[in-house]
């Protein structure tokens, strides 16, 4: 929310270096801690041996000599006390940026031996017992750590009223991208059999909080003349488009700067949402094929529904009363659906529609109700989306770095 008059962001000073007292009260504290975890907190946690395995030993071979005092990251505190506002317990802007770099880099580390973590502390004992750890198990386990520590980073920014600083903008951009990645990559881990694992609802909550804070900073910076092409808001179009992909609202469009409204990212998001509204599955899948990995992650939740709509139309009598064959390869390409899964769906849901050579489906003219379409695999992944990330690491996606 942008309010508080000129030079204010939700009642917070837009100038991170302007710390003089204001009419609203005294100036906020300015952190002086240059470590990822303040020394006092490290000492407190040493008494209870309260460290995550990733804070005890860095899996990277170049960091084997680092100990907990080097690897510990400040934990998130829900209740902020007076002592937590002391400058020595607050990290500087530069330190917070380095902390996020460190946290995100942990996503790329490949860990295949349990002794890296210590017995019983690594991801998925079942996976570790076989030697190799799956990317999904590894990401979920690391996510538990990042979930808490990234919230702690944003809390430090809020306490110091540094939300409008360039470092804060970049940090929030990284957080938004991270939660988008997690929403897709970890969706298959959210099962009844894994009650303490990834929670999509909580992840979406943090995604929306980070995104709305970021959009408020953009709006304020633009009003203060600090945005524009090449400025601190140079990525605004990307994140405004993510907001639209999460839910199109005409009011959002009326508040966008003209340069953002005319961007290709916003145009893509508006068209994708319009296809969802009208049920234009053909155009929607074409958009999915040319979407970026992060855009596709946000569209992934609609893949099944759009496939169902397409198949209902193709199975209706809209093409005539008699059955008409549709090549499985054509359906695969049109619906971003691997041929093996199209064939498996047909043999399970509509076995009588499969031709003798199993190369085509007789869809038009069928009146039997369709079963719910399964996703590409049992792990709830869309291969067309996953393929967009194949040559990128998680950190490259989150930091928007090209290979």
């Amino acid at each position: 929310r942008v309010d508080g008059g000129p030079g204010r962001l939700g009642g917070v000073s837009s100038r991170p270096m302007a710390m003089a007292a204001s009419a609203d009260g005294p100036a906020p504290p300015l952190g002086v801690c240059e470590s990822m975890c303040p020394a006092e907190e490290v000492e407190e946690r040493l008494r209870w041996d309260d460290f995550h395995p990733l804070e005890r030993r860095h899996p990277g071979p170049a960091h084997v000599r680092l100990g907990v005092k080097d690897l510990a990251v400040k934990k998130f505190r829900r209740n902020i006390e007076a002592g937590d506002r002391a400058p020595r317990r607050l990290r500087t802007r530069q330190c917070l940026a380095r902390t996020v770099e460190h946290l995100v880099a942990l996503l790329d580390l490949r860990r295949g031996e349990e002794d890296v973590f210590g017995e019983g502390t690594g991801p998925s004992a079942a996976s570790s017992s076989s030697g190799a750890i799956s990317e999904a198990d590894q990401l979920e386990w690391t996510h538990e750590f990042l979930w808490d520590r990234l919230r702690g980073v944003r809390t430090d920014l809020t306490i110091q009223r540094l939300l409008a600083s360039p470092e804060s903008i970049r940090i929030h951009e990284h957080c938004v991208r991270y939660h988008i990645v997690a929403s897709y990559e970890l969706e298959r881990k959210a099962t009844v059999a894994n009650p303490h694992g990834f929670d999509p609802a909580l992840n979406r909550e943090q995604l929306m909080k980070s995104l709305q804070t970021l959009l408020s900073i953009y709006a304020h910076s633009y009003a203060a003349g600090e945005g524009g092409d090449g400025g601190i808001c140079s990525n605004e179009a990307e994140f405004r488009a993510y907001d639209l992909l999460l839910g199109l609202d005409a009011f959002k469009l009326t508040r966008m700067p003209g340069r953002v409204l005319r961007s290709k990212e916003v145009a893509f998001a508006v068209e994708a949402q319009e296809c969802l509204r009208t049920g234009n599955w053909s155009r929607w899948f074409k958009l999915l094929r040319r979407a970026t990995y992060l855009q596709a992650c946000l569209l992934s939740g609609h893949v099944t529904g759009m496939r169902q709509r397409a198949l209902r139309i193709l199975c209706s009598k809209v093409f005539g009363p008699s059955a008409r064959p549709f090549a499985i390869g054509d359906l695969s390409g049109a619906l971003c659906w691997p041929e093996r899964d199209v064939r498996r769906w047909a043999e399970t849901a509509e076995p009588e529609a499969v031709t003798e050579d199993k190369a085509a489906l007789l869809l038009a003219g069928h009146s039997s109700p369709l079963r719910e379409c399964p996703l590409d695999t049992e792990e709830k992944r869309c291969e067309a989306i996953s393929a967009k990330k194949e040559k990128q690491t998680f950190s490259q996606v989150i930091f928007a770095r090209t290979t």
Side-chain angles (χ1 to χ4, degrees):
R1 186 174 97 251
V2 180
D3 56 18
R8 308 295 296 172
L9 172 64
V12 176
S13 173
S14 69
R15 304 286 183 177
M17 302 306 294
M19 292 292 129
S22 67
D24 298 323
L30 185 61
V32 297
C33 178
E34 292 291 347
S35 301
M36 293 191 295
C37 187
E40 289 184 13
E41 179 175 323
V42 172
E43 294 302 321
E44 293 169 1
R45 293 166 63 184
L46 278 171
R47 297 191 194 105
W48 302 98
D49 195 26
D50 181 20
F51 295 98
H52 189 276
L54 288 172
E55 296 175 308
R56 298 178 186 277
R57 181 178 177 186
H58 196 289
H63 303 84
V64 293
R65 295 187 178 183
L66 298 181
V68 292
K69 293 185 178 180
D70 306 297
L71 299 174
V73 181
K74 184 177 179 180
K75 298 177 71 173
F76 168 73
R77 290 180 182 242
R78 186 174 300 276
N79 299 316
I80 304 299
E81 301 175 353
D84 298 320
R85 298 177 180 274
R88 66 182 182 278
R89 300 199 67 145
L90 295 172
R91 292 163 289 183
T92 64
R93 290 179 293 152
Q94 295 76 15
C95 179
L96 291 170
R98 291 196 304 271
T99 300
V100 173
E101 290 265 355
H102 167 76
L103 292 172
V104 173
L106 293 175
L107 296 171
D108 295 339
L109 297 172
R110 292 293 174 263
R111 304 182 280 273
E113 299 180 5
E114 190 172 2
D115 60 5
V116 168
F117 309 96
E119 186 176 356
T121 60
S124 182
S127 298
S128 298
S129 62
S130 61
I133 299 171
S134 71
E135 184 180 60
D137 287 334
Q138 176 182 302
L139 180 60
E140 181 185 34
W141 187 73
T142 308
H143 172 76
E144 297 174 5
F145 179 61
L146 266 65
W147 167 268
D148 178 87
R149 302 313 194 257
L150 287 175
R151 293 178 75 187
V153 167
R154 300 202 300 273
T155 298
D156 271 18
L157 288 170
T158 302
I159 292 175
Q160 299 178 75
R161 298 185 185 177
L162 297 177
L163 290 178
S165 66
E167 291 87 354
S168 175
I169 289 178
R170 297 296 171 252
I171 286 172
H172 280 85
E173 289 176 348
H174 300 335
C175 288
V176 170
R177 292 191 188 112
Y178 168 70
H179 287 296
I180 291 175
V181 169
S183 68
Y184 171 71
E185 294 290 343
L186 293 177
E187 178 189 11
R188 62 196 183 281
K189 303 296 292 183
T191 63
V192 176
N194 187 27
H196 301 295
F198 176 72
D199 189 323
L202 292 178
N203 184 74
R204 184 181 177 88
E205 177 187 7
Q206 292 305 309
L207 167 60
M208 296 306 297
K209 285 183 177 180
S210 299
L211 181 57
Q212 293 310 312
T213 299
L214 177 61
L215 297 183
S216 294
I217 299 172
Y218 283 152
H220 169 79
S221 299
Y222 186 79
E226 299 173 351
D229 296 335
I232 61 175
C233 300
S234 58
N235 296 326
E236 182 176 2
E238 174 191 352
F239 292 90
R240 292 284 181 187
Y242 295 153
D243 188 37
L244 294 175
L245 288 174
L246 288 165
L248 181 61
D249 184 344
F251 182 68
K252 295 177 181 178
L253 297 175
T254 62
R255 301 193 63 174
M256 285 186 188
R259 62 179 178 80
V260 174
L261 189 60
R262 293 187 295 269
S263 67
K264 62 180 182 180
E265 294 90 349
V266 169
F268 173 91
V270 171
E271 187 174 4
Q273 290 289 51
E274 181 64 13
C275 288
L276 283 175
R277 188 184 68 82
T278 60
N280 188 342
W281 58 270
S282 178
R283 180 60 182 162
W284 190 87
F285 279 109
K286 289 179 181 178
L287 291 173
L288 179 65
R289 283 192 288 274
R290 69 178 178 87
T292 66
Y293 171 66
L294 289 171
Q295 289 171 338
C297 287
L298 292 176
L299 294 174
S300 64
H302 303 290
V303 169
T304 300
M306 294 304 275
R307 283 177 183 161
Q308 285 178 305
R309 180 174 180 82
L311 290 168
R312 287 193 185 101
I313 293 175
L314 295 175
C315 290
S316 69
K317 296 182 179 181
V318 69
F319 297 106
S322 59
R324 173 186 172 189
F326 285 85
I328 289 179
D330 292 342
L331 284 175
S332 172
L335 305 182
C336 297
W337 204 1
E339 288 190 24
R340 67 177 184 278
D341 293 320
V342 175
R343 190 173 288 107
R344 182 175 59 194
W345 166 81
E347 292 174 347
T348 302
E350 298 286 351
E352 68 277 15
V354 184
T355 59
E356 291 185 5
D357 60 2
K358 296 187 177 181
L361 304 180
L362 300 173
L363 295 181
H366 270 274
S367 58
S368 58
L370 289 172
R371 288 176 42 170
E372 182 176 344
C373 308
L375 290 178
D376 291 336
T377 68
E378 295 179 357
E379 292 188 339
K380 300 181 179 180
R381 288 170 65 83
C382 176
E383 290 188 5
I385 296 177
S386 300
K388 294 176 182 291
K389 180 196 165 288
E390 279 186 354
K391 297 181 180 180
Q392 291 180 291
T393 64
F394 286 120
S395 66
Q396 287 173 335
V397 171
I398 293 168
F399 295 138
R401 296 169 179 163
T402 57
T403 55

